[in-house]
Amino acid sequence: MTDHSDAVTWSRSASASTLGRLCQYLQVGFFGGMTLLVVALGAAGLALSAVNGAYGRLALFVLLLLIGGPFSLLYLLPLVDDETVRSSIRTWADRTGYDRLRPLPAAVSVLVGAVVIVGSVAVSPVALLALFLVVPVGTSIGMQMVNSRGEIDPVVGTVRVNDQSFDLEELAAVSVRRVPGTGTVVLRPSYATKTRGVTAPGYVSMPRDVYEEARPLLEAAASETERTIRQSRSERVVLVVFGVGTLVGAVGAAFLGFERGGDARVILSYIALLVGCFGIAFLALAAREP
C-alpha cells in the first residue's frame, strides 16, 4: 500500500467470485475426501486387527500412526501447537478466502469427493490418476486467475502483483484477456528487455473495474517503451522440438502401457498424462507472441 493518491491498488480473494469458490470447494472435496478415506481405512485396519487378534499388525499400525512420516501424530502435533504456524495458517486462509467457505457445503464436498475417488478406483486406475492430475492443476489455475492483490504506482514507476514486481519503464505491451463471468481481466505483459528480475510475473490478474482505472497508466507506459529483444526463431524451434518430442513420448508411453496392461498400464498412463502436459506447455510457449 502507498500514500500516493494516484496509485491503483486492488486485493481480491478467490472466494469473491463464483469460479474461485467452485475451485475452492473442489479442492476441499478432493483433498478432504482423500484424507477422509485414509482415516477411514486406517480406523478400519486398526479395528479389524484388534478383532482378529492380529496384535502384531495392530502394533505396526500404531507405530506408523505415531512416527510414520510427515503426517504422523508426533510430527503434526508440534506444528499444530506452534503459535507461529497457526498464525501463518490463519493469515493464508484469510488471504485466500478459505475461512469464508460455509461448513455445510464444505462437508458435503468432502463426502462427494470421497465417493468420486472410490468410484474412479472402481472404474479404472487411469481414471484415478487423471483425477489426481486434473483437479489440483485445474483448480489452482482457476484460483490464480481470480485471487490476486497488487499495486500500480506511477510515481515510483512499479507494478507489484502477489509479491512479484516489474518496472513500468520495462513494459513494452500488454495482451488483455477478459475471463467471462468472473469480473476478472488477465494481462500478459511483454517486457522491453530480458534483463529483468526472475520474479517479474508472466501475467497479471485483476478485477475488471481496476483494469479500466489502470489502463491509461499501462498504455502510456507501453507506448513510451521500445521492445528491444524479441523471442528468437531458434528459441521457438527448440520449444517446438521439445513440445512435439514430449507429446510423441506421451503417446508412446500410453500405447506401451495399454499393450502391456496390469501395473505397467497404470504407471505408464500416469507418465503419459504428465509428459503430455509438459508437451502442451512447450508448444503454448512457442506459439505465444514475442
Side-chain angles (χ1 to χ4, degrees), residues 36-54:
L36 179 63
L37 289 174
V38 170
V39 172
L41 290 174
L46 290 173
L48 288 175
S49 298
V51 170
N52 295 333

Side-chain angles (χ1 to χ4, degrees), residues 42 45-46 49-50 54-69 72:
L46 290 173
S49 298
Y55 298 112
R57 187 185 304 169
L58 180 62
L60 178 61
F61 272 123
V62 173
L63 184 63
L64 291 175
L65 181 64
L66 291 175
I67 58 173
S72 61

Side-chain angles (χ1 to χ4, degrees), residues 153-155 157 167-174 190-193 215-228:
D153 191 336
V155 176
D167 294 331
L168 277 172
E169 65 182 11
E170 288 193 12
L171 186 63
V174 176
S190 297
Y191 302 96
T193 70
R215 181 166 60 175
L217 300 176
L218 299 172
E219 291 178 349
S223 65
E224 295 176 0
T225 305
E226 283 189 28
R227 187 180 307 176
T228 59

Side-chain angles (χ1 to χ4, degrees), residues 21 24 112 140 193 217 234 266:
R21 288 192 298 272
Q24 286 181 325
V112 172
S140 296
T193 70
L217 300 176
S234 60
V266 176

